[in-house]
Amino acid sequence: MKLDAILIEDEANSREILRNYIGKYCPDVRLLGEASSIKEGLFLIEKNNLDLIFLDVEMPFGNAFDFLDQVPSRSFETVFVTAYNQYAMEALNNHAAYYLMKPVNIDELIKAVTYVREIKHKESILENKVLKPKLKSLEGKITLPQQDGFQVLDIADILYCKADDNYTEIYLDNKRLVVSKTLKYFEEALADFSFARIHKSYLVNVNEVVKYRKGKGGSVLISNGKELLVSASRKKDFLAFF
């Protein structure tokens, strides 16, 4: 599938280099335009239905994060391109699909585009279908430690788990349990069942997911009506469940 993309970079030389790399090594990418500022970038977003943006971090009159704040509802993926590695964590928190360092490495560029293409391909397949998880057993029980012993819970009854420091909140259909174990503990304990880590804060029973919404990293709607964010770094693994 073709990825419709734009390039936002204030340095003409950097734009030219990346444009040439994309044209030569990324035939699946169709560049629809280029921008040298936040204002020009916003105009291109309004004008086009995009899959991907190559985005420089440092620009005149703001930076990439100021830019993304002005596009709260976005369905495109973002590949940051920058000479500054100190922005990596903030890029991750802003749901970047990939983070490329200047000078751009061609192999890394190809990896970034491949990663985005796989995400978009999976989204397009699922877009108009009822979500039906791949068959994976939910038969079984899990014990939850408590001060006076432990509680036995049917795994199928768990809708999702939420991290709370060294505790985990377990959400059932009409009940919330708090357990003195980390979310990582439950991720490992439920690894053989239909549970997906969609975010640093959430572990979901994919059988209880009723809708997936595209966005920054996307989000899922759980059967109890709760909407949970999906982080960009977890999106591909989550979509693989369907």
Side-chain angles (χ1 to χ4, degrees), residues 89-209:
M89 184 56 69
E90 193 168 358
L92 180 62
N93 291 336
N94 276 270
H95 306 287
Y98 218 90
Y99 192 89
L100 294 175
M101 290 294 299
K102 296 178 182 178
V104 172
N105 178 282
I106 294 171
D107 289 337
E108 286 300 307
L109 173 62
I110 294 171
K111 285 181 184 178
V113 170
T114 299
Y115 184 81
V116 172
R117 187 179 65 243
E118 289 174 354
I119 290 174
K120 287 297 179 180
H121 177 67
K122 192 67 176 179
E123 283 183 345
S124 67
I125 291 174
L126 298 177
E127 199 165 40
N128 296 310
K129 291 186 177 181
V130 175
L131 294 187
K132 186 177 180 181
K134 295 176 182 176
L135 185 61
K136 205 173 184 183
S137 175
L138 274 176
E139 293 182 4
K141 297 181 182 292
I142 189 170
T143 57
L144 308 180
Q146 297 180 333
Q147 287 185 341
D148 60 348
F150 60 85
Q151 179 175 350
V152 181
L153 191 67
D154 285 328
I155 290 173
D157 291 340
I158 300 174
L159 303 183
Y160 66 94
C161 304
K162 179 181 178 182
D164 184 10
D165 292 327
N166 289 324
Y167 291 82
T168 297
E169 299 174 5
I170 297 179
Y171 287 83
L172 311 177
D173 193 35
N174 55 4
K175 189 176 183 181
R176 179 179 72 101
L177 304 172
V178 179
V179 183
S180 58
K181 292 287 186 181
T182 64
L183 189 61
K184 181 67 174 177
Y185 169 85
F186 285 101
E187 181 182 9
E188 293 174 352
L190 297 170
D192 293 331
F193 301 91
S194 296
F195 283 81
R197 184 75 177 265
I198 62 168
H199 189 277
K200 64 180 180 180
S201 298
Y202 299 117
L203 178 70
V204 302
N205 179 349
V206 295
N207 292 279
E208 298 296 334
V209 173

Side-chain angles (χ1 to χ4, degrees), residues 27-46:
D28 293 334
V29 176
R30 181 166 46 207
L31 274 180
L32 302 182
E34 299 177 14
S36 60
S37 67
I38 289 177
K39 183 177 180 180
E40 292 176 3
L42 290 172
F43 174 77
L44 287 176
I45 286 177
E46 292 176 0

